Amino acid sequence: MSSPEPPTDTPGPNIPTWPTQPIYSNLGEVRTHLLPSKACRPQTSGSSCTDLQPQPPPLPKKTLARAQSLPTCRVSSSSPTPTGQPWRPLLGSHSVDESQACDGARPAFPPAEPPCCSLDTERGLSFQDLHHPEAIHALLEVQQLEGLRTMHTQLRARFLGGHPGPCHPHHGFRLLDRSPCMESGGALYYRIVRVDEEVWHVLAAKVTKMGAKKPHPWGLDLQASLPPHFNLQGMCGLLPEGVLPEAPWSGPVALAAEVPERTVAQWLMEAGAQRPADFAWAVALLLLQLSRALEHLEALDAALVELRPENLLLVAPRGCTASGPPRLLVADFGRVHPRPPGSLGAHAVQLGFLLRELLGPVPLATPLATGLERLAAQLARARPSATLIRGALQALLWGPGAELRGCRTALGPWLRLRRALLILHIAQRAATGEAPGLEDWLCCEYLVEATEASMSHALELLWD
């Protein structure tokens, strides 16, 4: 409870009073005119301002600022504002001092290009471009393509990250299992731990089977010299003889960077229970990855002379769920030879045979399966390069469809629309906490690299 206030003297009837601190009022727009003090208001008929006590100190001179909104244009609205004025979109605001606010000589309209457009200018869009839809569309197309390129690079770094690198003499090794973790057509794989101080990597010792064909040394040398590739088996060097006395093999063995889980032949035996549409989609994704690997080999003037499902390895991609599509690895480099000059379609016939072998176990009646069957027939007839085969598989998976065959002018708008839809699709999934997977990365790679010409060539291979 507060203490009572001390008594004060009661002023006379003709003596005006004011609080301890003088009260000022501000009219905002006309800041130089102040309300008269309460002391100057007449109290009685005989009172006068000249009879009063001294006036309060004058109001300090201040420089005030207010926001001045700059309309983009004079756009009328069917629903007026509460003050009855038509609504105008505001582009931005800046501060003006008091002298500017009261200066009647200032123009009534804002400048043609306000300084608040700096962000758009940095993106290549000027103020005048806002009135031209073509300029806005061009900017959006550039930003979408750059966004997809960034996304593709980041996903590639995630899937290929953590590569163990080559072995060094100071590394230690430990055998995890005496039984092979996986058996391919020509090799047995054992899990090995490589220790480098506090860093451990799980590698795979690749032991050639007894009775297997003698590998071609040219292909093995090529494999040892390759930089990391998503669909080519990477090697980390040789494990010297005697390092693991308990090992169930003799002699030095190669160390693979990835531990395989199964072969395509083993996957094919398990995949028959899938729905036809899902099975055809999974086959197309595997062949797409295989064509990526063969395209890289063809660029190095190399060719894989035998494409066998038991020598194509599958492994879960890093950072992806086990339920997603697997990563395919070409591992049989002992069957890789120099490519004969002029043989651009060195892998086309073998890919056609492999495609029919993969589609054979399950009767399919889906549009994608029909397209794959047609592609298999075209591979034997046209013998295209692995690059063109990859483009045809991408078109079967993500479009464009046969209805755009021969309509090259429509391929550009289709590609721009497809890029925008992919960005929206990934953004919607990211909002729920779902990270992009292998299929998203492969689709992103397609839309980043695709051109009207490449899509036209793919449609011609598929449907002509």
Side-chain angles (χ1 to χ4, degrees):
M1 188 172 180
S2 61
S3 59
E5 297 181 359
T8 57
D9 295 337
T10 303
N14 295 330
I15 300 177
T17 62
W18 53 72
T20 304
Q21 299 293 332
I23 298 177
Y24 302 98
S25 298
N26 194 331
L27 291 181
E29 291 294 334
V30 187
R31 295 180 176 82
T32 57
H33 300 281
L34 303 175
L35 283 174
S37 170
K38 292 183 179 180
C40 292
R41 297 177 184 175
Q43 303 295 326
T44 63
S45 59
S47 62
S48 173
C49 290
T50 58
D51 301 331
L52 302 178
Q53 296 181 1
Q55 294 287 334
L59 181 69
K61 185 66 175 179
K62 297 191 297 182
T63 300
L64 304 178
R66 63 184 178 90
Q68 183 183 45
S69 299
L70 300 176
T72 57
C73 57
R74 296 180 173 271
V75 180
S76 61
S77 173
S78 58
S79 57
T81 60
T83 59
Q85 298 296 326
W87 177 85
R88 295 182 176 91
L90 301 180
L91 184 61
S93 63
H94 67 275
S95 297
V96 295
D97 59 23
E98 182 179 356
S99 61
Q100 291 175 317
C102 300
D103 188 2
R106 288 181 57 84
F109 298 97
E113 187 170 350
C116 57
C117 292
S118 59
L119 179 61
D120 292 333
T121 304
E122 293 173 1
R123 296 182 179 273
L125 192 68
S126 66
F127 177 71
Q128 290 84 358
D129 291 333
L130 296 177
H131 303 282
H132 301 282
E134 298 83 1
I136 298 177
H137 294 164
L139 174 66
L140 290 177
E141 292 168 12
V142 171
Q143 294 297 319
Q144 289 168 1
L145 183 56
E146 289 302 319
L148 286 178
R149 284 174 178 163
T150 301
M151 190 183 308
H152 175 264
T153 302
Q154 293 174 345
L155 290 176
R156 183 182 185 276
R158 190 183 97 193
F159 293 144
L160 285 176
H163 193 274
C167 295
H168 297 287
H170 66 274
H171 287 157
F173 298 93
R174 182 182 304 171
L175 180 66
L176 290 181
D177 305 297
R178 289 185 55 85
S179 300
C181 62
M182 207 274 299
E183 177 180 355
S184 69
L188 299 173
Y189 289 88
Y190 296 83
R191 294 195 304 158
I192 299 290
V193 172
R194 189 184 73 184
V195 182
D196 180 10
E197 296 179 354
E198 297 181 356
V199 180
W200 291 34
H201 285 104
V202 180
L203 309 178
K206 184 178 181 180
V207 181
T208 303
K209 280 184 175 181
M210 295 292 296
K213 293 181 180 179
K214 185 179 180 179
H216 196 288
W218 189 89
L220 297 181
D221 292 340
L222 176 65
Q223 183 182 22
S225 66
L226 289 176
H229 187 280
F230 188 75
N231 296 118
L232 295 174
Q233 185 185 55
M235 308 306 293
C236 298
L238 293 176
L239 183 66
E241 184 177 5
V243 174
L244 295 174
E246 70 279 15
W249 65 82
S250 60
V253 295
L255 293 178
E258 301 288 346
V259 179
E261 299 174 355
R262 52 186 172 173
T263 66
V264 171
Q266 295 166 349
W267 171 85
L268 190 60
M269 297 175 61
E270 304 168 1
Q274 296 184 13
R275 294 186 306 132
D278 296 337
F279 179 75
W281 192 270
V283 167
L285 285 176
L286 290 180
L287 287 175
L288 175 60
Q289 296 183 69
L290 177 57
S291 65
R292 293 180 81 252
L294 299 179
E295 179 183 19
H296 192 76
L297 291 180
E298 290 181 2
L300 299 174
D301 290 328
L304 182 59
V305 297
E306 292 183 13
L307 273 177
R308 299 166 56 192
E310 58 268 27
N311 285 329
L312 298 174
L313 310 182
L314 299 179
V315 62
R318 291 188 180 95
C320 295
T321 60
S323 59
R327 171 186 177 185
L328 182 140
L329 294 173
V330 171
D332 195 10
F333 274 81
R335 306 272 75 83
V336 173
H337 294 248
R339 181 167 62 91
S343 57
L344 295 178
H347 300 103
V349 176
Q350 291 192 79
L351 271 175
F353 288 141
L354 179 63
L355 179 52
R356 285 196 172 94
E357 184 177 355
L358 295 178
L359 295 176
V362 180
L364 303 175
T366 65
L368 178 57
T370 302
L372 291 174
E373 289 281 2
R374 182 170 181 84
L375 176 60
Q378 292 291 84
L379 294 182
R381 181 189 65 82
R383 301 198 175 189
S385 65
T387 300
L388 190 51
I389 296 173
R390 182 165 73 101
L393 288 166
Q394 290 169 331
L396 287 175
L397 284 165
W398 299 296
E403 64 277 4
L404 293 186
R405 176 186 53 181
C407 302
R408 189 160 181 173
T409 56
L411 294 178
W414 180 93
L415 180 59
R416 294 189 287 270
L417 176 62
R418 194 64 178 82
R419 287 169 176 165
L421 292 177
L422 177 62
I423 293 176
L424 291 176
H425 171 70
I426 295 179
Q428 290 171 351
R429 293 172 56 189
T432 62
E434 184 178 356
L438 174 58
E439 184 177 333
D440 298 313
W441 177 56
L442 294 174
C443 181
C444 184
E445 179 180 63
Y446 169 44
L447 297 180
V448 164
E449 298 176 351
T451 63
E452 296 180 18
S454 65
M455 293 186 296
S456 178
H457 293 328
L459 293 178
E460 290 174 3
L461 173 62
L462 287 170
W463 309 112
D464 281 352

